Amino acid sequence: MVQKKDAVIVTEHLTKRYGTKTAVNDLNLTLRRGEAFGLLGPNGAGKTTTILMLLGLTEPSAGKATINGKDCTKEPLAVKSVVGYLPDNVGFYGDMTGRQNLRFTGRLNGLDGEELEKRIDTLLERVGMTQAADKRTATYSKGMRQRLGIADVLIKDPEVIIMDEPTLGIDPEGMRELLNLMRELSEQDGRTLLISSHQLHQIQQVCDRVGIFVDGKLIACGNLKELEQQIRKDGHFELELGTAPCDDKLLGMLQAQKGIEKIDKQGDLLLIHARRDIRPELSKYLGENGYTVLHMHQRGGDLDEIYRRYFEKAGQSDERNQFGKEKKGGFKFRKVSKGKA
């Protein structure tokens, strides 16, 4: 439970309709100070519409959103004073250098002189853009523009940073640098980050919690462990098993177990669908009967699998093709430090 004094972004029954289309449907969400939160969903799920309402750029049809207690619709200037926004494709004046673009933004925010120049130098170094600072931004790669975009956002020292698809179209090395920087903004600076994305792999590396957004509705919200536990409560377990040998005796033993609903063959592996966790007795049986365990993995421990299960639960088809098949596996959510729990 997020304490009221720790709440930074709060939406209450936030809804947006365009004619008969409901883009955001009764969104209730609270983000705490210093938290990195991932708003995850396929294209068209309502993520960008949510961001537009938070930024005061479109009015909700019902409900409200506040940032630091300020109403995003009624007090947009007060909200913008504490919020930095990084769109999916940052726009800069291409005939100006990176440094000149930052100077322009700084002056728009009331900064000038030595204070501004020092801040520009510090931010360029922080985002790794010092060497390219005096080159025209028209020559920058997508990753360079995104890093300069973060420096541009930080010029006014915002408490909250909202990012819309920040890693889209960036090469692997640029993505690694950007993700490291995003983690720093939350962990070291204590800023609140709201990151909208359909990239499972990147969200899983950066965020403390995730909200899964489908057809305008928030269908699940929590950290990785909480989302996995909720799936388990629904009584669905999928176990991948590879053994040597894989014979009729083993299959007979599995079919005799209570709670096993179905066994599928996937290449050299068995995929066991069950209503409970059968690993304890299965491991004992395999050890006592001379089987060599080549592979045993309970599905559901990474964000890709958790998303798939929630997506199916919402009555949708499997849309993992929209979610970056570059998933490597083995990545975990950041551990939430004391005070963020």
Side-chain angles (χ1 to χ4, degrees):
M1 183 81 176
V2 179
Q3 298 297 318
K4 197 168 185 179
K5 63 182 175 62
D6 295 326
V8 176
I9 298 177
V10 179
T11 69
E12 300 174 74
H13 306 291
L14 191 65
T15 301
K16 181 64 179 180
R17 302 184 191 92
Y18 296 100
T20 59
K21 167 70 175 176
T22 301
V24 177
N25 189 353
D26 197 37
L27 176 61
N28 294 286
L29 185 63
T30 300
L31 273 63
R32 62 176 73 91
R33 194 170 307 280
E35 177 178 25
F37 185 92
L39 194 57
L40 181 66
N43 295 325
K47 305 186 303 297
T48 298
T49 301
T50 299
I51 287 175
L52 292 176
M53 288 190 283
L54 291 174
L55 295 173
L57 298 176
T58 188
E59 293 189 11
S61 303
K64 65 182 290 189
T66 60
I67 296 180
N68 269 2
K70 305 296 184 182
D71 189 296
C72 297
T73 303
K74 297 177 180 178
E75 303 171 273
L77 293 180
V79 168
K80 287 180 175 67
S81 69
V82 297
V83 175
Y85 173 54
L86 185 73
D88 60 344
N89 193 14
V90 187
F92 290 108
Y93 292 104
D95 59 346
M96 291 167 57
T97 67
R99 188 184 303 276
Q100 289 169 336
N101 273 280
L102 293 182
R103 189 177 292 130
F104 179 74
T105 298
R107 288 173 177 167
L108 288 177
N109 283 278
L111 300 172
D112 208 346
E114 187 177 349
E115 178 190 1
L116 175 57
E117 297 307 314
K118 284 183 178 179
R119 185 171 296 187
I120 288 172
D121 288 340
T122 299
L123 292 174
L124 285 169
E125 182 176 0
R126 182 170 190 186
V127 301
M129 290 293 291
T130 301
Q131 298 300 317
D134 298 308
K135 296 179 180 177
R136 291 185 305 113
T137 57
T139 66
Y140 285 6
S141 67
K142 177 70 181 292
M144 292 168 70
R145 287 199 304 273
Q146 290 297 90
R147 281 189 283 146
L148 186 67
I150 290 180
D152 192 72
V153 163
L154 293 175
I155 279 284
K156 65 177 180 181
D157 195 24
E159 296 177 41
V160 177
I161 299 176
I162 297 176
M163 300 179 173
D164 195 359
E165 299 286 0
T167 62
L168 201 62
I170 298 178
D171 64 85
E173 179 60 22
M175 189 178 296
R176 183 188 66 80
E177 294 171 353
L178 185 61
L179 292 173
N180 286 339
L181 183 56
M182 288 160 64
R183 278 195 295 268
E184 286 180 12
L185 294 173
S186 173
E187 292 178 342
Q188 296 181 18
D189 294 13
R191 304 179 200 269
T192 302
L193 268 62
L194 173 62
I195 306 166
S196 164
S197 182
H198 69 272
Q199 303 284 342
L200 298 174
H201 177 54
Q202 287 79 34
I203 286 292
Q204 190 164 333
Q205 294 182 69
V206 173
C207 294
D208 303 306
R209 289 192 302 148
V210 152
I212 298 177
F213 222 49
V214 177
D215 282 345
K217 287 191 69 70
L218 188 70
I219 62 171
C221 183
N223 60 38
L224 188 65
K225 185 175 180 181
E226 289 167 344
L227 294 176
E228 184 180 3
Q229 285 175 343
Q230 185 58 53
I231 288 292
R232 296 290 175 251
K233 285 180 183 177
D234 294 339
H236 186 91
F237 294 78
E238 292 182 357
L239 179 68
E240 297 173 359
L241 179 66
T243 64
C246 181
D247 53 18
D248 291 340
K249 179 182 175 183
L250 175 60
L251 288 173
M253 174 268 179
L254 290 171
Q255 290 165 351
Q257 291 294 313
K258 289 183 179 179
I260 291 183
E261 299 173 321
K262 185 173 64 169
I263 302 172
D264 294 326
K265 191 79 162 44
Q266 294 189 346
D268 295 329
L269 298 179
L270 298 176
L271 180 58
I272 305 166
H273 303 262
R275 294 191 301 273
R276 61 185 180 84
D277 186 356
I278 65 167
R279 286 175 295 178
E281 59 261 51
L282 180 57
S283 297
K284 181 180 179 183
Y285 175 86
L286 294 172
E288 291 177 349
N289 288 272
Y291 289 91
T292 301
V293 178
L294 304 175
H295 176 82
M296 184 182 290
H297 170 67
Q298 188 95 283
R299 289 184 175 180
D302 62 31
L303 191 53
D304 181 76
E305 183 62 26
I306 287 172
Y307 175 80
R308 183 184 68 82
R309 292 291 305 144
Y310 275 109
F311 202 78
E312 290 174 351
K313 188 179 174 184
Q316 306 293 319
S317 60
D318 187 353
E319 293 200 9
R320 277 182 295 173
N321 61 314
Q322 295 193 44
F323 281 78
K325 291 184 179 179
E326 78 284 359
K327 183 182 77 71
K328 309 296 183 187
F331 289 93
K332 300 296 180 187
F333 273 72
R334 293 195 287 118
K335 290 183 179 179
V336 182
S337 58
K338 292 181 180 178
K340 286 188 180 183

